């Protein structure tokens, strides 16, 4: 199939992401609770459209990212009926050819450069502060969404994991682990694939606040409204200053290197596992491994 044979761009489905204005705060909510908010491409582009809407609205100062239902997100969609890896969307985050109709590593690199690494980097640079409001599961690809936020408020029942080493892959595509967890905690999380609690995440410095589940929405909005009292341009400059400092500490170049290793691992899996780039793992096997992952 050539690029000209691709179906037209699929419009982001407003049902998979909800957008609500609450004074100076835009609340963006992932809305696939029946699949633990697993992230397919239509959700990714709907999130991007919601963030763009919040950036363009002069009345919005702060963005809150939340997940509907029991869980924030189980990560990338690798097994629901809405999985749409072969659907064409106009690239937004990177200037690269479309992944549809490509083969092997060409297809995977093109798609993941756009919808995973590229989108997360794009969202990290949103000029307005973003707070992730996390409850329940925050697994693998969901960590990427939480980590691009500037602050994270989690409920006391939240749990986290990046179990993809079980697939023979060195970590999720937006490889921020050493910077948000510290090197030794990052290695423990990756080497074991085990869940870690909200309290442990806070101890490692990944979370700003841990609150009772019943108070998560209220406490997140309180923080957002407090931040919204600050000048918008000052907030944007402060955010850029911290992001630039992280990049000077090697975050961007380290992430590029890890992304290459990530794709080398996919290629190795495909070569030794009869074409299966996930090393024989699927959503069910990852859940049954004890991590709780549905990514």
């Amino acid at each position: 199939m050539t690029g000209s044979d691709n179906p037209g761009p699929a419009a982001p489905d407003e049902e998979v992401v909800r957008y609500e204005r609450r004074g100076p705060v835009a609340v963006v909510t992932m809305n696939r609770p029946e699949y633990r908010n697993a992230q397919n491409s239509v959700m990714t582009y709907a999130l991007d459209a919601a963030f763009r809407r919040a950036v363009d609205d002069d009345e919005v100062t702060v963005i809150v990212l939340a997940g509907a239902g029991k869980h924030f997100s189980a990560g990338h969609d690798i097994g629901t009926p809405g999985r749409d890896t072969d659907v064409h969307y106009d690239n937004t985050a990177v200037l690269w050819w479309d992944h549809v109709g490509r083969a092997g590593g060409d297809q995977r690199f093109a798609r993941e450069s756009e919808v995973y690494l590229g989108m997360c980097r794009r969202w990290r640079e949103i000029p307005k502060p973003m707070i992730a409001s996390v409850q329940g599961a925050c697994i693998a690809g969901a960590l990427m969404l939480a980590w691009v936020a500037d602050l994270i408020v989690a409920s006391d029942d939240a749990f986290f994991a990046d179990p993809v080493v079980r697939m023979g892959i060195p970590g999720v595509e937006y490889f921020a682990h050493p910077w948000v967890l510290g090197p030794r905690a990052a290695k423990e999380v990756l080497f074991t694939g085990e869940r870690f609690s909200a309290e442990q995440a806070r101890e490692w410095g990944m979370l700003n606040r841990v609150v009772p589940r019943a108070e998560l929405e209220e406490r997140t909005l309180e923080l957002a409204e407090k931040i919204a009292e600050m000048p918008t341009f000052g907030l944007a400059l402060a955010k850029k200053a911290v992001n630039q400092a992280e990049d000077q500490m090697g975050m961007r170049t380290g992430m590029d290197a890890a992304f290459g290793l990530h794709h080398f691992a996919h290629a190795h899996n495909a070569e030794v596992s009869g074409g299966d780039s996930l090393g024989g793992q699927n959503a069910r096997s990852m859940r049954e491994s004890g991590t709780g992952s549905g990514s």
Side-chain angles (χ1 to χ4, degrees):
M1 179 185 290
T2 65
S4 61
D5 296 323
N6 293 342
D13 185 345
E14 294 181 359
E15 295 299 318
V16 300
V17 171
R18 299 199 308 261
Y19 184 95
E20 180 185 1
R21 265 279 309 279
R22 299 192 187 183
V25 180
V27 181
V28 176
T29 305
M30 295 177 284
N31 191 34
R32 298 184 78 204
E34 68 276 26
Y35 300 118
R36 306 203 305 170
N37 295 318
Q39 306 152 28
N40 55 7
S41 291
V42 72
M43 176 183 280
T44 298
Y45 286 94
L47 283 171
D48 190 71
F51 295 148
R52 178 79 263 176
R53 181 177 174 183
V55 170
D56 288 342
D57 187 343
D58 290 340
E59 300 301 315
V60 170
T61 306
V62 181
I63 302 165
V64 169
L65 174 63
K70 184 177 179 181
H71 300 287
F72 177 73
S73 175
H76 300 325
D77 185 347
I78 63 171
T80 83
R83 191 174 187 224
D84 52 2
T85 57
D86 294 325
V87 177
H88 166 73
Y89 298 84
D90 288 338
N91 277 10
T92 299
V94 299
L95 187 60
W96 199 266
W97 49 73
D98 185 45
H99 72 285
V100 176
R102 300 281 174 171
D106 186 352
Q107 185 271 347
R108 186 173 291 276
F109 185 85
R111 181 172 185 270
E112 294 192 357
S113 294
E114 163 73 4
V115 298
Y116 296 157
L117 181 60
M119 280 294 195
C120 284
R121 281 179 164 172
R122 171 178 166 84
W123 297 339
R124 176 178 178 254
E125 299 303 321
I126 289 170
K128 297 181 178 181
M130 185 190 302
I131 304 172
S133 181
V134 177
Q135 81 283 2
C138 182
I139 307 296
L143 290 173
M144 295 165 48
L145 292 184
W147 288 347
V148 300
D150 303 292
L151 306 176
I152 306 174
V153 179
S155 63
D156 51 13
D157 67 344
F159 60 92
F160 309 86
D162 185 359
V164 300
V165 173
R166 198 173 302 280
M167 297 178 173
I169 296 170
V172 291
E173 295 84 355
Y174 185 82
F175 191 85
H177 309 61
W179 293 271
V180 299
L181 294 168
R184 301 217 181 279
K187 288 177 181 178
E188 180 177 337
V189 165
L190 291 166
F191 291 176
T192 67
E194 293 179 346
R195 296 181 182 183
F196 55 101
S197 68
E199 286 298 336
Q200 179 65 81
R202 186 179 184 187
E203 182 180 327
W204 283 334
M206 190 184 108
L207 303 181
N208 295 88
R209 301 182 182 182
V210 177
V211 303
R213 174 65 175 267
E215 299 176 16
L216 177 62
E217 181 178 0
E218 177 186 359
R219 299 279 290 276
T220 303
L221 287 172
E222 283 178 359
L223 179 59
E225 289 163 359
K226 186 174 184 64
I227 294 169
E229 295 172 2
M230 302 292 278
T232 301
F233 189 51
L235 289 168
L237 295 180
K239 176 170 180 171
K240 183 172 282 292
V242 175
N243 284 359
Q244 288 174 339
E246 281 188 312
D247 288 339
Q248 286 295 313
M249 290 186 272
M251 182 170 172
R252 187 174 185 89
T253 54
M255 202 173 284
D256 284 338
F259 192 64
L261 294 173
H262 182 101
H263 282 273
F264 175 64
H266 278 310
H268 174 75
N269 284 344
E271 188 169 337
V272 302
S273 303
D276 181 2
S277 63
L278 299 183
Q281 298 289 328
N282 56 36
R284 176 176 299 229
S285 67
M286 296 293 277
R287 284 195 300 272
E288 291 175 351
S289 70
T291 63
S293 174
S295 63

